[in-house]
Amino acid sequence: MPEMVYVHIDTTSNAILARGISPADFVHGIVHYPSNLLLLDPSSNYGEFEAHTGMKIIRGNEKVDRFFDEVRKDRIHEDLKWIDFSDAAMLKELTPLEISELLYFGHMKTHLHSPFFYKLQNNFVFFDLQDGLTRVYYRYLDEFYRILADKITQSALGKLNDRRSFFRKTTPVEKLDLALLKEMKALFQEGIIFCLKNSEIVNKEFHLPIYLVEESGLRQSVTLGYDKPEMLIATLIYNKAERRWHVEYEDNDLLFMPN
């Protein structure tokens, strides 16, 4: 489990910049599982060459499963950058301008126009960045909220059962409600850190502190320390007896930050 999870959401493009959420977490949590992948690195060692685009593709559920299995096992030693697509025949309908836009996307790891292409019918664009960061474009943001909820729920499960004896049953944890995460949308747009390393059990409740960290100061904050009292904006709490999640804000006005 990582020490923290950083999240920044750009709601204009549905791009999520994250740290502490691995490619394996992504693969495990998504609903719209890709049938085909277009690799945005023409020199990738994976996939088969597609003549019209000049790029590599991974075609069919079985091959995509094998590729993602390699991702889960951390066996891929090149930057992951791909876009999913629904129909291989539509690749041949891409214009030179659309292909150049895809090549730009892969090279710069940011979009020129929409990250979602009509001819590809893609649900995702996935990029590995430096220092453990990923940038993923989600057609449906609920997919990201599911992944984040799973990550935090697993952290609570581990913490609540950390000192469990062999003879005691595992304490179950209700999955974090997506609605609670959506309530924090304005904070995600600023950039926040869920500080897993500072989570604690207080009166049989799981407490997870949340700190405000803007994207521009992320690297410096991680290096110098982000868990400063003045940066604490909220605490995510799971009550074991009530089996209920809730958020306590340091300042209730944070609930009404403009989107």
Side-chain angles (χ1 to χ4, degrees):
M1 188 65 68
E3 289 189 346
M4 58 86 154
V5 172
Y6 167 79
V7 177
H8 177 270
I9 295 181
D10 176 358
T11 53
T12 302
S13 63
N14 279 15
I16 309 288
L17 184 67
R19 185 174 185 178
I21 295 178
S22 70
D25 294 327
F26 169 85
V27 171
H28 176 74
I30 56 177
V31 175
H32 292 87
Y33 199 85
S35 299
N36 310 283
L37 303 178
L38 176 65
L39 305 183
L40 295 174
D41 179 1
S43 63
S44 174
N45 293 317
Y46 297 87
E48 59 185 279
F49 181 74
E50 201 285 316
H52 182 71
T53 60
M55 289 185 274
K56 299 281 192 71
I57 63 172
I58 297 175
R59 181 162 44 181
N61 295 101
E62 186 177 337
K63 290 181 179 178
V64 170
D65 283 344
R66 284 206 297 267
F67 180 76
F68 282 158
D69 191 49
E70 295 290 287
V71 169
R72 277 189 289 262
K73 293 175 180 175
D74 201 25
R75 290 178 178 169
I76 294 181
H77 303 296
E78 63 184 42
D79 286 349
L80 291 171
K81 43 183 177 178
W82 55 261
I83 183 169
D84 64 301
F85 64 94
S86 62
D87 185 351
M90 290 304 293
L91 291 179
K92 301 187 186 305
E93 300 296 323
L94 291 170
T95 66
L97 184 61
E98 288 167 329
I99 293 170
S100 65
E101 189 173 335
L102 285 165
L103 288 169
Y104 176 90
F105 208 172
H107 180 66
M108 299 303 295
K109 300 183 180 180
T110 188
H111 59 292
L112 268 175
H113 300 107
S114 171
F116 304 104
F117 293 74
Y118 174 75
K119 291 175 184 176
L120 300 181
Q121 290 294 296
N122 62 302
N123 291 309
F124 310 102
V125 191
F126 188 102
F127 293 107
D128 256 342
L129 305 178
Q130 294 180 337
D131 301 322
L133 285 166
T134 59
R135 178 180 291 116
V136 183
Y137 294 82
Y138 293 82
R139 184 180 292 272
Y140 307 104
L141 279 178
D142 273 16
E143 302 235 38
F144 170 72
Y145 289 127
R146 276 175 52 91
I147 294 166
L148 181 58
D150 284 344
K151 192 78 175 179
I152 293 173
T153 303
Q154 287 302 311
S155 178
L157 184 66
K159 195 78 174 182
L160 285 166
N161 291 283
D162 187 34
R163 293 188 175 88
R164 182 179 63 89
S165 72
F166 180 78
F167 299 100
R168 288 177 56 198
K169 287 185 177 181
T170 300
T171 298
V173 173
E174 293 293 316
K175 184 174 177 179
L176 176 56
D177 189 348
L178 302 194
L180 202 59
L181 291 176
K182 292 178 184 180
E183 178 186 291
M184 301 167 64
K185 179 181 176 182
L187 298 180
F188 286 131
Q189 290 177 262
E190 297 297 319
I192 59 175
I193 282 177
F194 295 89
C195 188
L196 302 180
K197 71 173 184 178
N198 287 354
S199 65
E200 58 183 342
I201 306 301
V202 180
N203 297 326
K204 297 184 178 181
E205 288 184 331
F206 171 77
H207 284 222
L208 177 59
I210 302 171
Y211 297 90
L212 183 68
V213 181
E214 294 182 3
E215 179 185 348
S216 59
L218 175 62
R219 186 170 284 104
Q220 182 181 18
S221 297
V222 171
T223 303
L224 301 178
Y226 50 83
D227 49 347
K228 298 175 182 177
E230 64 270 21
M231 301 303 291
L232 180 69
I233 55 170
T235 303
L236 182 60
I237 298 171
Y238 179 73
N239 185 297
K240 185 171 70 171
E242 298 177 4
R243 301 180 71 172
R244 184 178 68 90
W245 290 91
H246 67 282
V247 181
E248 289 186 358
Y249 294 92
E250 295 297 302
D251 182 350
N252 285 331
D253 287 344
L254 291 170
L255 283 167
F256 305 102
M257 290 175 65
N259 289 339

